[in-house]
Amino acid sequence: MRSERKTLLGQYLRKTAKFILLPIISTTMGFLSINLSSAKENIKIAIIPFQNLSGNVEYNWVGQGFSETLVSSLSNIKEVKIVERFLMNSLFKEIAFQSGGFVNNDSILKVGKMTGANVLISGSYQILNNEILVNARFVNIEKATINSGSAIHFRSNLNDLFDLQEKVADEFNNKFKISLSSEEKQSIRESLHSTSSSKAQELYIKARDKYYIGGFKGTEEVIVLLEETIRLDPNYSLAWALLGESYLKMGKFLARLKDGLYIEADPEKYFQKGKQALEKSLSLSPNFYETYQKLGMGYILSKDYKKAEINLIKALELKPDDVESILSLALLKENPEELFQKAMTIDPYNYLVYENFGSYYFHYFSNNIEYRQKSIPYFLKALELNPNTWAANLLLVQMYIENKDFETAKKYAEIGITQKKDDIFNYLVMTDVYSKSGDASKTRELLEKIDLMIESPLVKAGKIRFMMGDNNFSEAYKLARKSLEKFPEFPDLNYLMAKIYREHFHSCKLAEYNAKLSIQYYDKRQDIYHDNVREKAQKLLNECQAN
């Protein structure tokens, strides 16, 4: 394994971008054509949750169940690509349906344009008494027409829902006429028979649906749902995999709080739990490529790069064209551009490719302004393909701040806040926009808002600076003392206290004490603190000692 500081991953871990931890990280594109009877053609499928025509919301999860079963089974076929779940979840609210529950022609073309899919699967179901009637079909997106023989119809007893889901998945597998390897057949069997508990599947589907829209609190709710799912069925491999993924997501949230806001947190505990859950999933279903990819990311987060590479290579053995595995592997390479280009060739519509390529220019060339500018078109392309992607939006704001284009930075920061009103980092980025553009009033207003949301030494330091700027040293002193009681090892607070002692109380003796503490605590954790804090504290200390 190569030196951490020489890899793209090393640039992430040096935290050159303050509020990001591993986001996973424009040409005119036409539609692809496909011959569905030929296995040699690339098939990329967009799967829409089946529509409930019964009007009984109690069974809404059943439609997600059909689409999730199809995603889980078809994604294990090497020659088939499935549009990423998060993107389809984002597009779903923009899709219009006909009276029978099928997607209308305009929306079919829109899905193709946004995702590069050449096949769309949609369907509907009705539940009457104890029977369920299912209608489904696949559409050639280029022509927005139903292919001959593409429609399927099933009627079954509601108690036989699992058998019905399997029949629907088998029917579509057969219609694509792809010759399956023994591993692919085994993976499909494992996905279709992951659980026999309808209640466990209902909870899993609800957790899966919430996973893509939940922030910190939403992820906590997902974990509760999945832990109950596994209590009902301890051998539910898909639930174990999503639980592992959710633990990793929670760990990344906590890492952002710890490294971005200097709040005490233990992300490693969740990284460990995530890896354990993913290992459990693989013990039950050892042929799921996606689980190996997520486990690889878990080991990256825990800085065990050898095991990360082993799992990512295994994922690519099972699914050679898996873009997320390729992008994850790129994090471990000294020169990742070749892998980025490969991912872009495989799927030029995948927003993650552009988000990660942009992040590469943003992080790896942190000291080269010219190269960092190359990140902007990649972030814009990522947002064009998926307007709801958080990382590209956040880094784009920071680039526009760097370019002193504060109006554009503000526009994208406002988009971030609109998308995730409960995400504190969007407010922090907006604070940066106001601060750098010289709008002291709005900066102060936002700092007060953030301080009510979460108690952070970084936010306290920002408030103290404003008080000092207003010559309100009395209030600044009170807040600094109170903040240091709670966060005694935060270098910024110690430096500000030293500055208050020197400039307001004219006491170099007291100022020297806090300046030394600022330097001491910076040196103790210099991997996460602002580089110029130590310089400022040392300068103040030198000036006091000279006098």
Side-chain angles (χ1 to χ4, degrees), residues 24 293 300 312-313 315-316 319-333 336-347 353 356:
I24 251 217
Q293 187 271 325
I300 284 177
L312 292 171
I313 289 172
L316 288 167
K319 188 85 167 179
D321 286 348
D322 180 49
V323 166
E324 286 194 51
S325 296
I326 293 170
L327 294 176
S328 300
L329 195 59
L331 290 173
L332 303 174
K333 303 300 181 182
E337 290 188 69
E338 184 178 344
L339 286 176
F340 286 145
Q341 292 289 356
K342 179 179 179 181
M344 191 179 295
T345 301
I346 291 170
D347 191 352
V353 176
N356 278 264

Side-chain angles (χ1 to χ4, degrees), residues 118-338:
N118 42 29
V119 177
L120 182 142
I121 293 178
S122 65
S124 63
Y125 60 99
Q126 290 179 291
I127 296 174
L128 301 171
N129 298 321
N130 202 40
E131 276 197 330
I132 179 169
L133 176 65
V134 177
N135 293 295
R137 67 189 186 191
F138 63 80
V139 178
N140 182 319
I141 288 181
E142 182 187 30
K143 298 178 181 178
T145 57
I146 306 168
N147 285 73
S148 175
S150 70
I152 61 173
H153 311 279
F154 286 108
R155 182 188 295 272
S156 178
N157 189 291
L158 194 56
N159 295 327
D160 299 326
L161 185 59
F162 287 110
D163 290 337
L164 183 57
Q165 289 175 346
E166 184 174 352
K167 287 178 182 177
V168 171
D170 283 343
E171 190 71 18
F172 277 116
N173 286 342
N174 293 334
K175 285 183 181 295
F176 291 126
K177 298 180 180 179
I178 293 175
S179 178
L180 302 178
S181 68
S182 58
E183 277 187 340
E184 288 171 327
K185 290 177 182 177
Q186 180 62 26
S187 297
I188 291 171
R189 278 195 298 270
E190 289 170 0
S191 69
L192 293 174
H193 298 281
S194 190
T195 185
S196 58
S197 166
S198 60
K199 183 61 180 176
Q201 189 190 48
E202 179 182 352
L203 291 175
Y204 169 77
I205 294 300
K206 289 178 177 178
R208 170 67 74 182
D209 192 42
K210 189 179 286 289
Y211 178 86
Y212 294 106
I213 59 176
F216 185 85
K217 291 182 179 178
T219 304
E220 286 183 317
E221 293 171 9
V222 169
I223 288 172
V224 170
L225 282 170
L226 290 168
E227 288 176 339
E228 175 62 15
T229 302
I230 288 165
R231 188 190 67 79
L232 292 171
D233 184 353
N235 295 318
Y236 196 168
S237 60
L238 291 177
W240 277 109
L242 185 58
L243 180 61
E245 197 174 345
S246 300
Y247 281 140
L248 295 181
K249 186 178 180 180
M250 180 62 76
K252 286 193 281 186
F253 276 131
L254 293 175
R256 285 168 58 204
L257 292 175
K258 181 179 180 181
D259 297 333
L261 290 171
Y262 309 109
I263 290 171
E264 288 299 318
D266 187 9
E268 185 57 40
K269 178 179 75 173
Y270 283 92
F271 295 154
Q272 187 63 28
K273 292 174 76 171
K275 290 182 294 183
Q276 289 172 350
L278 290 164
E279 293 279 12
K280 175 65 176 178
S281 176
L282 287 172
S283 72
L284 296 165
S285 299
N287 293 307
F288 285 178
Y289 79 93
E290 193 174 9
T291 310
Y292 286 104
Q293 187 271 325
K294 301 304 179 189
L295 185 57
M297 280 305 302
Y299 280 116
I300 284 177
L301 292 167
S302 293
K303 303 182 183 179
D304 188 339
Y305 307 129
K306 184 175 181 180
K307 286 185 178 179
E309 189 168 29
I310 290 170
N311 280 279
L312 292 171
I313 289 172
K314 179 62 177 177
L316 288 167
E317 286 175 1
L318 294 168
K319 188 85 167 179
D321 286 348
D322 180 49
V323 166
E324 286 194 51
S325 296
I326 293 170
L327 294 176
S328 300
L329 195 59
L331 290 173
L332 303 174
K333 303 300 181 182
E334 184 176 339
N335 298 305
E337 290 188 69
E338 184 178 344

Side-chain angles (χ1 to χ4, degrees), residues 387-449:
N388 295 312
T389 178
W390 177 85
N393 189 80
L394 193 63
L395 292 175
L396 188 61
V397 173
Q398 293 184 58
M399 282 304 306
Y400 284 126
I401 291 173
E402 186 174 293
N403 292 343
K404 301 188 187 313
D405 184 353
F406 299 115
E407 283 303 310
T408 307
K410 181 182 174 184
K411 181 183 82 170
Y412 283 100
E414 286 173 344
I415 290 171
I417 289 174
T418 301
Q419 290 173 344
K420 290 189 175 182
K421 290 183 171 62
D422 63 339
D423 194 317
I424 189 171
F425 288 91
N426 288 321
Y427 292 97
L428 282 169
V429 168
M430 182 62 89
T431 303
D432 204 24
V433 174
Y434 287 139
S435 176
K436 297 286 177 59
S437 63
D439 194 332
S441 175
K442 289 191 175 180
T443 305
R444 186 185 292 106
E445 182 183 323
L446 263 183
L447 281 173
E448 292 291 346
K449 182 181 180 71

Side-chain angles (χ1 to χ4, degrees), residues 36 45 50 68 75 83 142 147 172 287 310 317 440 495 520:
L36 291 173
I45 305 173
F50 286 21
E68 183 60 30
S75 64
V83 176
E142 182 187 30
N147 285 73
F172 277 116
N287 293 307
I310 290 170
E317 286 175 1
Y495 164 69
Q520 175 187 329

Side-chain angles (χ1 to χ4, degrees), residues 353-409:
V353 176
Y354 302 94
E355 185 171 275
N356 278 264
F357 219 147
S359 297
Y360 164 64
Y361 283 116
F362 183 94
H363 292 284
Y364 200 81
F365 300 99
S366 58
N367 296 319
N368 188 320
I369 295 174
E370 181 182 349
Y371 268 85
R372 276 166 68 87
Q373 297 302 313
K374 293 185 177 183
S375 68
I376 293 176
Y378 286 105
F379 292 143
L380 289 172
K381 185 63 183 178
L383 288 166
E384 176 191 328
L385 292 169
N386 184 5
N388 295 312
T389 178
W390 177 85
N393 189 80
L394 193 63
L395 292 175
L396 188 61
V397 173
Q398 293 184 58
M399 282 304 306
Y400 284 126
I401 291 173
E402 186 174 293
N403 292 343
K404 301 188 187 313
D405 184 353
F406 299 115
E407 283 303 310
T408 307

